[in-house]
């Protein structure tokens, strides 16, 4: 409770200020109050929780899963082969210079309104932080430790499994915690620009109806889902990486 108290107090303060400002403006189509948003979520709970949310979670899960697999594979390959690092590292960085909102409509043209047009946007956003963060974690292994294991007759696989992988695990969990909110953002952007279901699509539809609370309701729901997912990953990290506390 002592650890969570500052965050709870800050959240309550933000919501109180938001409530007061929205009441002074008195324009729900521009800035609804938190109570109006919660009421809208309750009214639309069946549509939001059983239709729109599963569609967005499906896009997020597939895109994030593919990004994790490809990011880990590429990070390990670049760590193992320096020539591959020199060739691919600039390409990985270049993927982040592509404006997502500009290329997302192209994915819709190529793949239509299928799930893959939205999955590709999610991959494009989450691939970079996973690859670079895990790669930096693998590179942070102390050279002296590698030389010591080599002098004991350890193979490159032994060095990777017993030294580099444990060293890179904190970076891996940090990458996942960064990628989860980004994957949610990517899915919402893709649904906003071209989709037939999902929380991003629903928010856009509510905007055309000038329903401010309806616009904010899926956004709040997405934020809660992302925070819960990050909280779960943090607990898994604390359970697996016990040596961090000792350090």
């Amino acid at each position: 409770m002592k650890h969570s108290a500052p965050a709870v107090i800050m959240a309550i303060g933000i919501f109180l200020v938001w409530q007061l400002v929205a009441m002074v403006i008195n324009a729900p189509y521009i800035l609804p109050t938190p109570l109006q948003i919660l009421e809208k979520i309750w009214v639309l709970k069946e549509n939001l929780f059983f239709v729109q949310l599963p569609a967005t979670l499906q896009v997020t899960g597939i895109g994030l899963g593919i990004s994790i697999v490809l990011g880990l594979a590429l990070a390990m390959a670049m760590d193992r082969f320096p020539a591959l690092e020199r060739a691919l590292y600039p390409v990985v960085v270049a993927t982040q210079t592509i404006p997502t909102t500009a290329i997302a409509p192209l994915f819709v043209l190529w793949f239509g309104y299928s799930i893959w047009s939205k999955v590709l946007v999610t991959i494009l956003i989450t691939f970079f932080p996973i690859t670079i963060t895990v790669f930096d974690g693998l590179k942070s292994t102390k050279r002296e430790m590698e030389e010591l294991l080599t002098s004991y007759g350890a193979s490159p696989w032994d060095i990777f499994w017993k030294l580099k992988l444990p060293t890179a695990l904190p970076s891996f969990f940090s990458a996942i915690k960064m990628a989860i909110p980004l994957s949610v953002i990517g899915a919402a952007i893709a649904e906003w620009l071209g989709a037939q279901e999902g929380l991003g699509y629903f928010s856009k539809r509510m905007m055309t109806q000038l329903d401010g609370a309806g616009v904010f309701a899926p956004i709040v729901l997405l934020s809660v889902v992302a925070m819960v997912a990050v909280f779960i990953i943090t607990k898994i990290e604390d359970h697996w990486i016990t040596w961090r506390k000792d350090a």
Side-chain angles (χ1 to χ4, degrees):
M1 291 297 297
K2 291 181 179 180
H3 178 74
S4 303
V8 173
I9 295 173
M10 177 64 69
I12 293 175
I14 292 174
F15 283 122
L16 287 177
V17 173
W18 184 354
Q19 180 77 21
L20 293 175
V21 172
M23 292 174 63
V24 171
I25 295 177
N26 195 23
Y29 60 93
I30 297 177
L31 183 64
T33 66
L35 295 179
Q36 290 172 334
I37 296 173
L38 293 177
E39 181 183 359
K40 180 65 69 171
I41 293 175
W42 176 255
V43 172
L44 301 174
K45 59 182 181 298
E46 293 185 1
N47 189 5
L48 289 175
F49 285 94
F50 299 107
V51 178
Q52 311 302 338
L53 180 59
T56 301
L57 291 181
Q58 185 180 18
V59 173
T60 302
I62 295 175
L64 185 59
I66 295 175
S67 293
I68 291 174
V69 173
L70 293 180
L72 288 176
L74 186 56
M76 290 186 293
M78 290 193 301
D79 177 72
R80 183 68 180 85
F81 304 103
L84 191 63
E85 173 194 351
R86 292 191 295 269
L88 293 182
Y89 196 95
V91 178
V92 175
V93 175
T95 59
Q96 295 306 292
T97 64
I98 302 174
T100 305
T101 54
I103 200 171
L106 293 178
F107 292 156
V108 176
L109 291 176
W110 296 342
F111 299 96
Y113 289 107
S114 67
I115 189 175
W116 295 109
S117 61
K118 298 180 282 293
V119 168
L120 284 175
V121 176
T122 305
I123 294 173
L124 184 64
I125 292 179
T126 57
F127 177 73
F128 174 80
I130 294 175
T131 304
I132 299 302
T133 306
V134 173
F135 175 72
D136 290 341
L138 293 172
K139 285 295 185 183
S140 65
T141 305
K142 293 183 178 181
R143 183 65 179 174
E144 296 83 0
M145 297 296 294
E146 293 187 46
E147 294 174 349
L148 178 62
L149 290 181
T150 302
S151 66
Y152 286 158
S155 65
W157 174 253
D158 292 330
I159 294 175
F160 171 79
W161 185 255
K162 297 182 181 299
L163 178 62
K164 287 196 170 186
L165 183 60
T167 303
L169 269 180
S171 298
F172 169 74
F173 280 106
S174 297
I176 299 301
K177 287 186 287 187
M178 286 191 298
I180 286 175
L182 291 176
S183 65
V184 172
I185 293 172
I189 291 175
E191 292 169 350
W192 185 280
L193 296 176
Q196 296 176 329
E197 59 181 357
L199 292 175
Y201 159 79
F202 186 82
S203 180
K204 179 181 179 181
R205 193 178 73 182
M206 291 296 100
M207 178 172 287
T208 60
Q209 301 176 11
L210 296 179
D211 188 345
V215 173
F216 275 91
I219 296 175
V220 171
L221 189 56
L222 279 174
S223 299
V224 172
V225 169
M227 287 188 291
V228 170
V230 171
F231 175 79
I232 293 173
I233 295 298
T234 301
K235 290 301 180 182
I236 296 175
E237 179 185 11
D238 293 339
H239 179 72
W240 280 9
I241 307 178
T242 55
W243 63 86
R244 173 181 289 182
K245 295 180 181 179
D246 296 337

